[in-house]
Amino acid sequence: MSAPDTPGPGARTAALTLEAQSGWQRVRWHALGGPCELLVDGEDGVHAMELARLASAESWRIERKYSRYRDDSVLSDWQRQAGEPVPVDDETAGLLDYAAECHALSDGRFDLTSGVLRRVWTFDGSERVPSEAAVQEVLRFVGWNRVRWHRPVLTLPRGFELDLGGIGKEYAVDRAAAAVSAEARAPFMVNFGGDLFTPAARSAGTPWSVGIDDPARTGRAATHQVELQRGGLATSGDARRFVLHEGRRLGHILDPRTGWPVAGAPAGVTVLA
């Protein structure tokens, strides 16, 4: 999970930017390595800011707790105590249980330990591709099946680390939406870098209209328009994070079993629930 520059308590209100739109309000901030926003139906900008303070506080709390870039995060604690059993709290245990289930359902294709592959891969649009030897060296530290997880005790092998980036932002969206729901007097949508959720349609039953970014013209065009009455939506692809190798475009989704980008992956995938 990214973003080492979480705002301190005194900077949080200043970090929120309110934009009044026609019939709705947008409040923006930065967390979890990218842009975050809360959309609130109606004309009440004061209420939108109140709700955004709740959503942003939850996003920054989760970032502080699980960021791989912070020395004081629980992930950093795990890595410092690698080789020793470490008890975790209920929130963390729930995330680890979910990650273990994803690992089993995907036959090992989803693996929290695979974040170490970033040591050799940088998806910046260049042609810099690691050697097979470099990839194999890092793969020595990949493999959820080598982690000992018996709730609530986690034991990481020495040299291993965990990366919650594959589920952390979506979890943050759900938690932020729950915090906002408790106080909201108007329909809203939480959007953290394209991973979003809304508990209800806009006023009078009007759906939220969500554009799916065109990977070939990212930020400039949409491939589809989704009318969302209620639910969550997440999109991933190679529009912004890729490398070029032997004339091919390799996206940033890595196969933890090989250490290489997934072969023949689509340019973009959107999941609606």
Side-chain angles (χ1 to χ4, degrees):
M1 193 174 294
S2 27
D5 55 346
T6 302
R12 288 178 181 170
T13 299
L16 303 179
T17 303
L18 174 67
E19 301 173 5
Q21 306 291 329
S22 178
W24 54 282
Q25 310 292 311
R26 183 203 308 268
V27 186
R28 299 178 186 266
W29 67 96
H30 190 279
L32 307 165
C36 298
E37 63 182 10
L38 177 71
L39 313 181
V40 182
D41 199 33
E43 306 290 347
D44 192 343
V46 173
H47 185 50
M49 284 294 286
E50 292 171 349
L51 298 180
R53 290 188 185 98
L54 297 173
S56 60
E58 190 64 5
S59 69
W60 290 324
R61 181 192 71 82
I62 291 171
E63 182 177 276
R64 284 193 307 273
K65 189 172 183 178
Y66 297 117
S67 173
R68 65 174 181 253
Y69 293 106
R70 296 180 62 101
D71 290 337
D72 57 350
S73 70
V74 297
L75 264 74
S76 295
D77 285 342
W78 297 340
Q79 273 119 234
R80 282 190 291 267
Q81 298 179 71
E84 301 294 330
V86 178
V88 303
D89 62 17
D90 285 344
E91 179 179 40
T92 301
L95 287 170
L96 293 179
D97 282 345
Y98 179 62
E101 183 178 6
C102 290
H103 182 268
L105 291 172
S106 66
D107 293 329
R109 292 173 177 84
F110 182 92
D111 193 318
L112 285 191
T113 67
S114 63
V116 296
L117 290 166
R118 67 180 179 277
R119 297 177 186 173
V120 293
W121 287 99
T122 302
F123 294 96
D124 57 0
S126 70
E127 297 184 6
R128 293 192 299 272
V129 174
S131 67
E132 180 60 30
V135 171
Q136 291 300 318
E137 174 66 21
V138 178
L139 271 180
R140 296 188 301 117
F141 304 105
V142 175
W144 174 258
N145 58 318
R146 295 168 59 192
V147 174
R148 293 178 61 190
W149 168 236
H150 302 287
R151 186 180 181 131
V153 178
L154 172 73
T155 307
L156 282 179
R158 297 190 186 280
F160 272 55
E161 55 186 78
L162 298 186
D163 185 345
L164 293 177
I167 57 176
K169 190 165 62 170
E170 293 77 12
Y171 175 68
V173 168
D174 287 346
R175 287 300 305 259
V180 172
S181 291
E183 302 294 335
R185 300 191 302 269
F188 68 88
M189 174 182 288
V190 177
N191 179 13
F192 289 177
D195 294 332
L196 54 88
F197 173 77
T198 181
R202 297 181 62 190
S203 300
T206 304
W208 296 91
S209 186
V210 180
I212 307 300
D213 202 26
D214 183 346
R217 294 177 293 166
T218 181
R220 296 181 289 115
T223 58
H224 298 82
Q225 203 77 13
V226 177
E227 302 300 312
L228 192 59
Q229 294 277 359
R230 178 186 184 279
L233 184 147
T235 298
S236 187
D238 65 7
R240 292 178 173 84
R241 299 178 62 196
F242 64 93
V243 292
L244 300 174
H245 178 55
E246 297 178 351
R248 295 182 298 142
R249 186 183 179 103
L250 303 180
H252 73 286
I253 305 300
L254 295 166
D255 186 334
R257 302 166 305 173
T258 67
W260 283 77
V262 175
V269 175
T270 295
V271 178
L272 174 66

